[in-house]
Amino acid sequence: MGAHSDKKLGLPGEEAPGVESAVKMLRAIGDDELPDLSGQRVCVIGGGNVAMDVARSAVRCGAEKVSIVYRRRICDMTAQDAEIAGAQAEGCEVLELTAPLAIETGEDGRVSGLRVQPQIIGEPRRGRPAPRAAATPERVIPCERVFVAIGQDIDSKPFEDMGIACKWGCVVTDSDGAVPNFDGLFSGGDCQTGPATVIRAINAGRVASANIDRYLGFDHKIKLDVEPPTVQFKGKHECGRCELGEREAGERIHDWNLVEQGLTEEEARQEASRCLRCDHFGFGAFRGGRNLEW
């Protein structure tokens, strides 16, 4: 079912008009319901690809200024480097080492600013350097709209009400995907691991199907009746990957057309000639290429 709910900041003023979900904003744009941000100053909280998408979309929706607020360093962002560079090229301001503290509101109750605390990077925690409050005064970033893009969750409460164990908003399962104390119930994908990639969800589906098959008393195996020929490496050599070019930032911010440009004929021919070792990473996955069998 995916993780379609947004995580909350847990900050004072979060319920004020003008504080919105990044996920809902992108979903609305996908449905051709474009928000009018003309002349507004926008703060986007987060450092992932969703945050970059929202920031770049805000520019196209007429925002006067877009600031991406992130409590860690730019190099710690989970967004792809190309997304970060694209946002900066389109005029988005990236405020690294800046932690949100509260949403400021005006007399009308609407958002008027984002109160933040400058950070300093410190010792590693959970695999990467952790920030802490710097000896610098708090400040307020004036804005009329705040988009929250700090991650996505599932709506775990209905499952918890059924007695299903959940931790950090995710369904708890055994190693085979079975839900403890619920005979015949299996879980996998985003609702078990948290938001991840499509291919991980597909893998979870295949793992679950195999374990459900076994639970039902069977032990079906994936069989392939095609024997691929022996790989010939004659004439093959290493070759760098051709990257897609992009339209100029000053042009693309005025429309919703594709940012990336396609490969030229020369580049396409070269890419098609590169050996991607399908024998090992593709079909070969069924012949021992994976560590674990599905």
Side-chain angles (χ1 to χ4, degrees), residues 183-230:
D183 188 46
L185 183 62
F186 291 77
S187 176
D190 288 0
C191 59
Q192 182 221 352
T193 63
T197 60
V198 170
I199 197 63
R200 285 193 62 183
I202 293 173
N203 180 67
R206 302 198 70 156
V207 169
S209 66
N211 290 323
I212 291 172
D213 181 65
R214 189 172 294 112
Y215 168 80
L216 295 175
F218 301 101
D219 189 23
H220 294 106
K221 299 291 185 182
I222 298 176
K223 296 181 180 179
L224 301 172
D225 56 4
V226 176
E227 189 64 36
T230 303

Side-chain angles (χ1 to χ4, degrees), residues 55-134:
R56 300 174 74 172
S57 297
V59 171
R60 288 161 174 77
C61 290
E64 176 185 312
K65 181 181 180 182
V66 179
S67 301
I68 302 171
V69 180
Y70 187 58
R71 69 189 188 94
R72 298 179 184 269
R73 302 167 299 179
I74 291 179
C75 64
D76 297 320
M77 285 183 166
T78 57
Q80 297 176 350
D81 292 341
E83 287 282 347
I84 299 172
Q88 291 176 314
E90 293 174 5
C92 300
E93 176 186 38
V94 180
L95 301 176
E96 61 179 345
L97 292 172
T98 304
L101 295 179
I103 306 295
E104 299 289 320
T105 57
E107 295 181 357
D108 57 357
R110 294 188 61 84
V111 173
S112 63
L114 177 65
R115 180 172 295 279
V116 298
Q117 170 66 60
Q119 304 286 292
I120 182 173
I121 204 67
E123 298 178 354
R125 187 186 308 156
R126 295 182 180 178
R128 56 177 177 167
R132 67 176 189 277

Side-chain angles (χ1 to χ4, degrees), residues 36-42 62-66 110 144-145:
D36 183 9
L37 303 178
S38 300
Q40 296 187 24
R41 294 164 295 183
V42 174
E64 176 185 312
K65 181 181 180 182
V66 179
R110 294 188 61 84
E144 288 75 42
R145 198 76 68 99

